[in-house]
Amino acid sequence: PPVCPPGRVLRALKGFAGGVRGLQCHPHLPLVASCGLDRFLRVHSLGDGGLRHKVYLKSRLTCLLLNTQLDWE
């Protein structure tokens, strides 16, 4: 089964400035990535909702694609 069940609210993620343009759950790990109008890419843990990574981007993203071949740990 997927880590993020469709249509179910698991957690509210805070810390965004502006609108969220893209949201993507990792298919195997309890991680969710988001990008917004504030030009930050954020990776949150679904377990506690904590922020794992935050990266400033030079351009505004409109969508996300997570690679399952990378070592995310």
Side-chain angles (χ1 to χ4, degrees), residues 12-57:
L13 304 174
K14 297 182 180 181
F16 295 98
V20 175
R21 298 298 303 231
L23 191 67
Q24 181 71 44
C25 291
H26 193 279
H28 307 296
L29 298 175
L31 299 174
V32 61
S34 63
C35 63
L37 294 177
D38 61 354
R39 296 186 181 181
F40 277 98
L41 170 70
R42 293 175 176 89
V43 178
H44 290 270
S45 171
L46 284 178
D48 60 358
L51 184 66
R52 301 262 312 255
H53 300 284
K54 181 178 174 182
V55 179
Y56 182 76
L57 307 169

